[in-house]
C-alpha cells in the first residue's frame, strides 16, 4: 500500500483508513524507529500546532520531540491560552491555522471539536485524544504488539476495565488489522454500542472479531492483556465509587496466568498502580508498557510523515 493516499488527510478515527493504509503507517513507524537519521530532515520547515484541553506527558513530549527529530517545529497552545469554540469560533480558528501551519494536533474533551476542526480546515488535523477516541495510542499499541507477535492478524487482545476512548480505538484498529479484540468491563461500563457496531462492520473485511462482555473468562488464552485507569480525566469525582466497582477487574498475576503463556501486559499510562494493575504485573517481564510509550513517538512520526511529509 502506497502512502500517497494519506497525504493531506485527517486522522480523526482509524475507521476512516483502509487496512492497507494502517499497515503502511505501522511499517513506516518501524522504519522511522530503525533508521531515524533517514527522516531527520523530512519535515524541514514544517510547523505543527498542538492544542491541549487535557494535559499529557506522552502526547506533548512525543509530538514535540517527533517534529524536532523530523526537522520541523511544534507550537504548544493550551485551552488556558484561549479555548477553541469559546474565545473564538472553530470556523475562524480553522481559517487562521490554514494560513499559518502545516498541520494541527488536538487533545480535547469533546470529540465533535476535533471532527469540526478537521471538516473546516484545509490542513491535516490529528486526533491526539478525545473523550470518544485515542487513535494515536492505538497505533503505538499495535506497533508494540507487532514487535512481539510479528503478524497481528488472528491474534487476541483482551482489554479489561472501562469501555473508554482507548478501548474504542483498540477495537477500531483491531478490526482493520484482523485482530480479535475483546473488551471486558463491569456491568454498565461497556463501550458505546455505536462504536461496537461500526467496528464489527469493519471487521467483516479482515476476519477480525469484536467481543464485548463482563466475564473475565474472555482473558483465557489472550496474546495481550490491556488495561487503563478506571477514572479518566474529567471523572475524578467518580474515582472512589468506580474503584469499588472495578476492583474485581484488576489485572494482577492471577489474571495474567489465565492469558496465553507468552501474553504481554499493556497499558497506555499513566498507571494507577494498586488499582487497575499491580506492581507485580506492571514491572514483570511480560510488561511492554514502556515500549508502548516509546512507540508513541515512532507511530506519531509516521503519521506526521504520511499526512504532511513527502515519503
Amino acid at each position: 500500500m502506497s502512502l500517497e493516499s494519506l497525504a493531506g488527510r485527517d486522522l480523526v478515527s482509524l475507521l476512516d483508513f483502509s487496512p492497507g493504509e494502517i499497515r503502511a503507517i505501522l511499517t513506516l513507524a518501524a522504519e522511522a524507529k530503525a533508521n531515524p537519521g533517514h527522516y531527520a530532515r523530512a519535515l524541514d520547515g514544517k510547523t505543527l500546532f498542538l492544542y491541549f484541553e487535557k494535559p499529557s506527558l506522552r502526547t506533548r513530549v512525543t509530538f514535540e520531540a517527533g517534529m524536532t527529530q523530523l526537522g520541523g517545529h511544534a507550537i504548544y497552545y493550551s485551552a488556558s491560552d484561549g479555548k477553541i469554540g469559546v474565545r473564538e469560533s472553530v470556523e475562524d480558528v480553522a481559517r487562521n491555522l490554514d494560513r499559518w501551519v502545516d498541520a494541527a494536533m488536538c487533545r480535547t474533551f469533546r470529540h465533535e471539536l476535533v471532527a469540526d476542526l478537521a471538516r473546516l480546515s484545509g490542513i491535516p488535523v490529528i486526533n491526539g485524544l478525545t473523550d470518544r477516541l485515542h487513535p494515536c495510542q492505538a497505533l503505538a499499541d499495535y506497533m508494540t504488539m507487532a514487535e512481539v507477535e510479528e503478524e497481528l492478524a488472528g491474534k487476541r487482545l483482551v482489554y479489561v476495565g472501562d469501555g473508554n476512548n482507548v478501548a474504542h480505538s483498540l477495537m477500531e484498529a483491531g478490526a482493520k488489522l484482523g485482530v480479535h479484540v475483546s473488551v471486558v468491563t463491569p456491568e454498565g461500563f461497556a463501550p458505546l454500542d455505536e462504536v461496537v457496531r461500526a467496528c464489527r462492520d469493519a471487521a467483516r473485511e479482515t476476519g477480525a472479531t469484536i467481543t464485548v462482555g463482563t466475564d473475565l473468562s474472555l482473558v483465557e488464552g489472550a496474546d495481550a492483556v490491556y488495561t487503563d485507569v478506571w477514572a479518566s480525566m474529567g471523572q475524578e469525582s467518580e474515582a472512589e465509587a468506580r474503584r469499588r466497582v472495578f476492583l474485581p477487574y484488576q489485572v494482577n498475576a492471577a489474571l495474567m496466568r489465565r492469558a496465553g503463556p507468552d501474553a504481554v501486559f499493556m497499558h497506555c499510562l499513566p498507571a494507577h498502580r494498586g488499582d487497575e494493575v499491580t506492581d507485580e504485573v506492571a514491572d514483570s517481564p511480560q510488561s511492554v508498557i514502556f515500549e508502548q510509550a516509546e512507540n508513541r513517538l515512532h507511530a506519531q512520526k509516521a503519521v506526521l510523515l504520511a499526512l504532511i511529509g513527502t515519503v
Side-chain angles (χ1 to χ4, degrees):
M1 165 64 67
S2 169
L3 290 164
E4 293 177 0
S5 65
L6 298 173
R9 297 262 296 275
D10 302 306
L11 172 54
V12 177
S13 162
L14 289 169
L15 291 182
D16 297 331
F17 294 80
S18 71
E21 288 169 338
I22 294 176
R23 289 185 182 278
I25 291 172
L26 295 181
T27 298
L28 179 57
E31 292 173 356
K33 182 176 183 177
N35 302 291
H38 180 73
Y39 299 97
R41 301 299 298 273
L43 297 185
D44 195 16
K46 302 290 187 181
T47 301
L48 174 68
F49 173 77
L50 302 175
Y51 176 64
F52 281 79
E53 289 182 355
K54 294 184 176 185
S56 170
L57 171 67
R58 276 152 294 278
T59 300
R60 180 174 180 179
V61 173
T62 53
F63 269 110
E64 287 198 20
M67 280 299 287
T68 299
Q69 292 170 20
L70 295 171
H73 176 65
I75 298 172
Y76 175 81
Y77 186 92
S78 75
S80 63
D81 296 313
K83 197 169 183 180
I84 295 176
V86 176
R87 182 175 182 270
E88 193 166 359
S89 71
V90 179
E91 292 85 350
D92 284 357
V93 170
R95 292 181 183 127
N96 279 276
L97 292 176
D98 282 352
R99 288 159 173 79
W100 295 333
V101 300
D102 300 284
M105 189 289 303
C106 299
R107 182 178 170 91
T108 70
F109 287 92
R110 288 193 315 112
H111 183 76
E112 292 75 17
L113 176 58
V114 176
D116 287 346
L117 195 61
R119 176 175 55 83
L120 295 164
S121 175
I123 58 173
V125 172
I126 300 166
N127 180 355
L129 175 142
T130 67
D131 283 347
R132 185 184 181 94
L133 297 173
H134 199 351
C136 293
Q137 181 65 54
L139 289 172
D141 295 336
Y142 284 109
M143 177 184 178
T144 306
M145 196 171 168
E147 291 175 337
V148 177
E149 303 288 352
E150 295 185 6
E151 178 53 53
L152 290 172
K155 299 300 180 182
R156 291 189 57 231
L157 182 149
V158 180
Y159 174 96
V160 180
D162 185 25
N164 60 12
N165 49 7
V166 172
H168 290 160
S169 285
L170 287 171
M171 289 190 298
E172 289 193 351
K176 293 287 186 172
L177 293 167
V179 178
H180 303 304
V181 181
S182 297
V183 177
V184 188
T185 74
E187 195 74 44
F189 293 91
L192 293 173
D193 287 342
E194 61 198 82
V195 175
V196 174
R197 287 195 298 270
C199 291
R200 285 175 174 162
D201 288 343
R204 294 192 184 99
E205 182 180 353
T206 64
T209 56
I210 304 296
T211 305
V212 175
T214 60
D215 193 336
L216 286 167
S217 66
L218 286 167
V219 172
E220 301 286 347
D223 297 295
V225 178
Y226 198 122
T227 193
D228 190 9
V229 296
W230 294 333
S232 299
M233 275 181 275
Q235 298 173 331
E236 289 82 2
S237 63
E238 304 172 27
E240 188 52 42
R242 281 174 170 254
R243 188 175 189 278
R244 291 192 294 271
V245 173
F246 279 89
L247 196 55
Y249 291 81
Q250 181 187 73
V251 179
N252 50 36
L255 186 63
M256 286 300 297
R257 283 194 292 271
R258 299 176 69 175
D262 299 317
V264 295
F265 169 69
M266 307 182 77
H267 194 305
C268 56
L269 301 181
H272 293 170
R273 292 164 178 256
D275 285 345
E276 75 272 7
V277 63
T278 61
D279 284 337
E280 183 180 12
V281 171
D283 296 326
S284 73
Q286 291 175 280
S287 176
V288 293
I289 60 178
F290 295 110
E291 285 83 354
Q292 290 172 260
E294 177 185 348
N295 285 337
R296 284 288 301 276
L297 173 66
H298 308 302
Q300 289 162 189
K301 285 168 73 172
V303 169
L304 294 167
L305 286 166
L307 300 188
I308 63 176
T310 57
V311 293

